[in-house]
Amino acid sequence: MTDKNIVDRSRIHKNAAVVKTVRATRERLQHGREMPPEFDNEMSRLHINAVLQGAAAPPVLVLLASVGGLWFDEAIWLIAWALMALFVYAGLVLMARRASREPNDKEMTRRWRQRFLAIYAVIGLSWALFAFQDCTTCQDDNFNFYKSAVLLIALAATAMTTFALRFALYFTVLPIVAALALRVGISRDVSDFSVLAMILGAALFFLFISQRLYSTNLKMLSFQTEKDDLIAELEVAKSVSDEARRRAEESNLAKSRFLASMSHELRTPLNAILGFSEVMAGEVLGPIENANYKEYVGDIHRSGQHLLNLINEILDLSRIEAGRYELNENALSFADIAEDCIGLVQLKARSKNIRITEAFEEALPMVWADEKSMRQVILNLLSNAVKFTPSGGEIQVKLGWTAGGGQYVSIKDNGPGIAEEEIPVVLSAFGQGSIAIKSAEQGTGLGLPIVQAILAKHGGEFVFKSKLREGTEGIAILPRERVLESMAPVEGLPGAVQKKKRAFG
């Protein structure tokens, strides 16, 4: 369809923007720079959630502090202070609820931040009032220690709630420290000074912890942002990859359909060309008086034959790649097929004064394979060996057992060989080495890929070895599962099958 062929060019720009964002975030993390103001909104939301989730803790602390204070000193001021503190904390919770419903806007976040800082200052004043009071009926320092414990708990709870809101703990701590310092200046008591020192040290510690929590959460937000950016980048890359894979599958399917539909249209005129040129070359209907015409007819026949072979090889490779190459398997002798193929190329080998030697192991059992495919495998290897072996050279054909119990056929020549870096090119479709390109007998570059695909279809393996100026060796291997277990021949039967005689010398 038309819409399937549309490529979204904007993805490239989106991908570049994502990469830029990721690099900027990574640079901020590595160099410890100030985080961007966009994180203020997230930190504000984190603080609001902390206030709402811990809304019950401050009132409980205030009630326990007032009840415990009444046990030490029966003072009415504790009840009034508790009511005031509860009122302030209730205002904080109501403010957090209202802020949670507001839009996450930069200006709005700034306003709510100022309001929260103001109410934390009021909370600090309420705890400063608690810290300034003294026990009127106490005879020892128990009330001061009790007051110190309450203030430590209050500071710890405030630090855990306000770590996401910068400077909030300062607004709470400063009034308390100021009240305790004023108390020390008035009373000049050692116990009050101890309380001041304890609260001041604890306040500095909580301020440090609060700042560390704030920085940690900022980095966590940065990590989350970086992760989201990477996920977006991966999604873009995956979508581009999926589109490329889909287009490749469509192209491959279109290629297969084209080859399937064109096979008849191409072969029919080629058969006519080959047939009529063969009739003309044989002068069946009469002699051809012009010698040049007769030479042209021979060229037409050879060109048509070459084109037909090329079409057949392309169709074979396409059927194998498309999974439509069906094997017509039966029991056959690897040695017999090798001998027949040697006989087919023997005439051309003799014309180049090339000697073909054989080394077959005896009593090899039959194999279960497609005879046509096995002939094509051995013929392709032999044809390549004859084609590239120089005049007076030698080709060795070996047949035997593999170490795993399978059978192999090896065809080795002493031709010019192929460089190691060119072997992957030779094994690819339409790939040719530099020697083949310079040779006068150039092929299609499909012989070895077809051999490799046919052996893979049989569950076998193709091994190709070559070195410059040392020759080339191609090994076709069939696995053990393809070898049939043979039974001992029955002797004395009339008409026993004899070994097939060689049809060539």
Side-chain angles (χ1 to χ4, degrees):
M1 295 176 64
T2 306
D3 57 345
K4 292 184 178 180
N5 296 324
I6 297 176
V7 179
D8 189 2
R9 301 294 183 183
S10 62
R11 289 177 176 171
I12 300 176
H13 305 288
K14 293 178 182 178
N15 196 16
V18 169
V19 172
K20 184 177 179 180
T21 304
V22 171
R23 288 178 180 175
T25 305
R26 187 179 293 112
E27 184 179 357
R28 289 195 303 269
L29 294 176
Q30 291 176 350
H31 298 282
R33 298 178 181 175
E34 189 70 19
M35 295 300 167
E38 289 77 9
F39 287 160
D40 288 342
N41 297 337
E42 297 296 331
M43 297 300 290
S44 177
R45 292 293 174 182
L46 186 63
H47 167 254
I48 292 172
N49 292 333
V51 171
L52 294 178
Q53 291 174 2
V60 172
L61 176 62
V62 170
L63 292 176
L64 291 177
S66 60
V67 172
L70 289 175
W71 185 77
F72 287 100
D73 185 10
E74 297 179 359
I76 303 299
W77 68 268
L78 284 173
I79 299 176
W81 171 83
L83 293 175
M84 181 190 69
L86 291 175
F87 178 79
V88 174
Y89 277 112
L92 174 64
V93 174
L94 292 175
M95 185 182 296
R97 287 183 178 178
R98 183 177 176 184
S100 64
R101 294 190 293 266
E102 294 291 336
N104 199 2
D105 181 72
K106 182 178 179 180
E107 181 64 24
M108 190 64 65
T109 301
R110 186 183 62 83
R111 292 179 182 177
W112 281 111
R113 184 171 179 273
Q114 294 175 354
R115 296 172 185 175
F116 278 117
L117 291 177
I119 198 169
Y120 277 114
V122 176
I123 291 175
L125 290 175
S126 65
W127 284 107
L129 181 61
F130 175 81
F132 185 78
Q133 298 297 326
D134 191 17
C135 181
T136 57
T137 61
C138 298
Q139 301 297 326
D140 48 23
D141 298 330
N142 291 335
F143 184 78
N144 280 340
F145 293 133
Y146 161 74
K147 184 167 60 174
S148 301
V150 172
L151 291 176
L152 286 175
I153 297 174
L155 289 178
T158 306
M160 296 300 297
T161 306
T162 60
F163 70 90
L165 185 64
R166 296 192 68 179
F167 308 117
L169 190 58
Y170 288 94
F171 282 82
T172 306
V173 167
L174 290 178
I176 298 175
V177 173
L180 291 175
L182 181 62
R183 179 68 189 174
V184 170
I186 295 175
S187 66
R188 306 282 184 177
D189 193 354
V190 177
S191 63
D192 290 336
F193 183 79
S194 300
V195 173
L196 174 62
M198 183 185 302
I199 296 302
L200 184 60
L204 293 176
F205 174 75
F206 289 136
L207 287 171
F208 173 76
I209 294 298
S210 178
Q211 182 63 31
R212 297 298 298 175
L213 289 174
Y214 181 80
S215 301
T216 302
N217 278 272
L218 278 180
K219 289 185 178 181
M220 291 297 294
L221 290 175
S222 299
F223 292 146
Q224 182 68 31
T225 302
E226 183 177 8
K227 184 189 75 171
D228 295 340
D229 292 339
L230 291 175
I231 291 175
E233 184 180 5
L234 289 176
E235 288 178 351
V236 172
K238 182 178 181 299
S239 62
V240 173
S241 176
D242 291 342
E243 182 183 2
R245 178 178 56 81
R246 178 185 57 80
R247 291 172 63 84
E249 290 176 353
E250 290 181 355
S251 300
N252 188 46
L253 181 61
K255 181 196 71 174
S256 301
R257 290 175 177 174
F258 170 77
L259 293 175
S261 62
M262 291 298 292
S263 61
H264 176 72
E265 285 76 2
L266 291 174
R267 285 179 175 178
T268 299
L270 276 177
N271 288 331
I273 292 172
L274 291 174
F276 291 143
S277 61
E278 189 173 353
V279 169
M280 295 172 66
E283 301 181 359
V284 175
L285 301 179
I288 299 177
E289 297 179 357
N290 194 322
N292 291 331
Y293 286 170
K294 188 173 183 179
E295 183 181 355
Y296 296 159
V297 169
D299 293 339
I300 293 173
H301 187 272
R302 284 190 297 271
S303 300
Q305 189 65 46
H306 175 76
L307 184 56
L308 182 60
N309 293 334
L310 175 60
I311 293 172
N312 290 333
E313 289 181 346
I314 292 176
L315 290 175
D316 288 340
L317 187 61
S318 299
R319 282 198 297 268
I320 293 173
E321 291 178 349
R324 298 179 181 178
Y325 191 88
E326 297 181 358
L327 299 178
N328 185 15
E329 300 169 309
N330 52 21
L332 53 91
S333 172
F334 223 168
D336 291 345
I337 295 178
E339 289 178 353
D340 290 343
C341 294
I342 292 173
L344 292 175
V345 301
Q346 189 69 255
L347 183 61
K348 187 174 183 179
R350 285 178 180 175
S351 66
K352 296 180 63 175
N353 195 21
I354 297 174
R355 186 164 59 96
I356 300 178
T357 61
E358 303 175 12
F360 295 174
E361 293 189 19
E362 297 292 335
L364 287 173
M366 291 187 172
V367 295
W368 187 257
D370 184 2
E371 183 175 356
K372 177 185 175 183
S373 299
M374 289 299 102
R375 288 182 184 274
Q376 188 173 5
V377 166
I378 299 176
L379 272 177
N380 285 355
L381 296 178
L382 282 172
S383 300
N384 281 346
V386 173
K387 183 188 300 181
F388 296 108
T389 301
S391 179
E394 181 182 1
I395 299 175
Q396 298 178 359
V397 181
K398 297 180 180 179
L399 184 64
W401 292 98
T402 64
Q407 291 187 19
Y408 77 92
V409 57
S410 170
I411 299 173
K412 183 178 181 180
D413 62 64
N414 58 355
I418 301 172
E420 292 185 2
E421 60 271 14
E422 292 184 356
I423 290 180
V425 178
V426 172
L427 294 178
S428 63
F430 300 101
Q432 293 182 343
S434 57
I435 301 298
I437 295 174
K438 296 177 183 178
S439 173
E441 298 184 71
Q442 295 186 19
T444 61
L446 294 176
L448 294 182
I450 290 176
V451 169
Q452 197 172 19
I454 289 176
L455 291 173
K457 191 76 175 178
H458 284 79
E461 183 182 0
F462 177 60
V463 179
F464 189 76
K465 303 177 182 178
S466 184
K467 289 186 178 181
L468 285 175
R469 294 178 294 277
E470 293 186 12
T472 303
E473 181 181 12
I475 306 173
I477 301 173
L478 286 180
R480 181 178 181 180
E481 293 77 13
R482 291 281 176 177
V483 179
L484 302 177
E485 296 183 2
S486 60
M487 299 176 60
V490 180
E491 298 181 357
L493 288 179
V497 178
Q498 301 295 329
K499 181 174 173 59
K500 183 172 67 173
K501 293 184 180 180
R502 298 280 294 274
F504 52 91

